Amino acid sequence: MPTSTSLLPATHLLVEEPGTAAIAAHVARTGHGGWWTDDPAAPRTVLVHCGPERLLRGDPGRLDPAFLGRFGRGQFTAPDHFLPLLGRIFTTVTPWVRTVYVHTRPPRPVPPHVADWVRPLEPGDSAYLDRFAVRCSSPGRHPATPHWAAQTWGGHGALAAGGFAWGAFVGPFLAALACGYLVGRDHVDIAVATDPAFRRLGLGLACVNAATAAARRQGLTPTWAASQVNLASRAVAVTAGFRPVRNEVVYWAGPPRK
């Protein structure tokens, strides 16, 4: 299947709305991930991937099933007409509904001493992220696996150096993190995580407030995505000034059929 490094020919298939559609520009910005078309000059189908995220647009009949199966497990954002194709390729396709939010209101402020613990991540902070990933991990996680918020950047080093991450530092620990999970041309989708030992201190909200303010200064609209069953994430979104704009169905798929 042809590949291309320019997003221009597929602009009509990749309109950047709030949410995962920012993945196309994020790939161009970070150099992590990639995208494929059936025809770079006149594309009718586009696949963009970055970390666990996959975005599909266009005509599923133009996409080679064997090629798509190589991507293995991942989260697909795609119109409903791609669902039969996903079902033929993958052994499991699990839909879940999430809400997309846009930042429209002032956030709830945090105490000054909490805000003082927050600063932007720098290239030398990757070791903090390494420890953070281990402390936030579930049993059985491989030690070398990046934290989920860094997977769309290709790892901790790239996230720390990317200019879109803010952390709350308490002593020798990175206690909370907010970052641009997907940084597009017009939008930045915000991710947040807190070390379990430092929850309920307002550190995650402080990081989100810093990340959204930084995004606004760069002319980007902050967005947020949360599963409808993730009540904690939804609560942080509202507290930080985000308001829901739509619900969407995404599909966790994999592994591919043999």
Side-chain angles (χ1 to χ4, degrees):
M1 181 172 294
T3 65
S4 176
T5 56
S6 171
L7 295 177
L8 295 178
T11 300
H12 65 291
L13 295 177
L14 295 172
V15 176
E16 186 179 299
E17 298 176 340
T20 315
I23 186 175
H26 182 84
V27 170
R29 180 188 292 269
T30 66
H32 179 63
W35 74 289
W36 284 258
T37 71
D38 58 319
D39 182 349
R44 292 173 57 188
T45 300
V46 174
L47 161 66
V48 189
H49 74 93
C50 185
E53 304 290 339
R54 291 91 168 90
L55 177 71
L56 291 169
R57 291 290 187 268
D59 179 4
R62 305 279 293 185
L63 186 59
D64 180 0
F67 174 79
L68 186 59
R70 288 189 229 159
F71 289 90
R73 291 183 175 88
Q75 175 175 282
F76 287 84
T77 302
D80 290 347
H81 57 264
F82 277 93
L83 190 55
L85 176 65
L86 295 178
R88 291 197 301 270
I89 296 172
F90 298 101
T91 57
T92 302
V93 179
T94 304
W96 58 285
V97 180
R98 68 180 178 188
T99 302
V100 176
Y101 298 76
V102 172
H103 191 258
T104 60
R105 300 185 183 182
R108 188 185 75 190
V110 297
H113 74 278
V114 174
D116 287 345
W117 291 336
V118 177
R119 66 166 175 81
L121 266 62
E122 301 171 347
D125 289 328
S126 58
Y128 285 104
L129 284 165
D130 292 343
R131 180 186 292 187
F132 183 77
V134 172
R135 290 174 59 87
C136 295
S137 65
S138 56
R141 169 191 173 275
H142 191 282
T145 303
H147 188 274
W148 64 266
Q151 291 179 10
T152 53
W153 287 84
H156 297 155
L159 176 61
F164 286 92
W166 292 74
F169 291 82
V170 179
F173 298 102
L174 173 61
L177 165 73
C179 66
Y181 183 70
L182 295 171
V183 183
R185 294 182 300 274
D186 304 308
H187 305 85
V188 53
D189 197 57
I190 302 293
V192 63
T194 303
D195 183 323
F198 294 98
R199 288 176 179 164
R200 302 186 182 279
L201 299 176
L203 298 175
L205 176 60
C207 292
V208 172
N209 289 352
T212 54
R216 289 291 189 188
R217 289 194 295 270
Q218 297 184 55
L220 298 171
T221 299
T223 67
W224 190 281
S227 165
Q228 289 198 327
V229 299
N230 191 339
L231 300 182
S233 179
R234 292 164 66 88
V236 173
V238 172
T239 303
F242 291 81
R243 293 297 179 267
V245 294
R246 73 173 189 276
N247 291 330
E248 64 181 8
V249 179
V250 296
Y251 302 95
W252 277 101
R257 300 180 186 275
K258 295 181 179 180

